[in-house]
Amino acid sequence: MSKQEMMYSHVEDYKASGLTQSRYCESVGIKLATFSYWVIKYKNENIQNSSE
């Protein structure tokens, strides 16, 4: 599994969890700044893919 796949999986788990980003990051041991970057990247990629 690539880093992107792993982080996108975390983003999906976070969205389903109902937790805040900071609480989710605490629970899985990811830095908030790193996770926030991947959340934005995931969101932008999904917006781009849905408009094609």
Side-chain angles (χ1 to χ4, degrees):
M1 178 181 279
S2 72
K3 179 160 183 126
Q4 180 176 341
E5 289 170 330
M6 182 178 71
M7 293 307 292
Y8 281 7
S9 176
H10 276 297
V11 172
E12 290 167 358
D13 291 346
Y14 149 71
K15 287 178 178 276
S17 74
L19 298 172
T20 63
Q21 283 188 24
S22 60
R23 293 234 188 254
Y24 181 80
C25 290
E26 287 174 12
S27 72
V28 296
I30 300 172
K31 290 181 183 177
L32 180 58
T34 301
F35 187 68
S36 296
Y37 164 82
W38 284 101
V39 169
I40 292 166
K41 189 171 173 66
Y42 178 89
K43 187 177 184 180
N44 288 341
E45 189 168 299
N46 284 329
I47 289 170
Q48 184 180 24
N49 288 341
S50 65
S51 66
E52 290 179 354

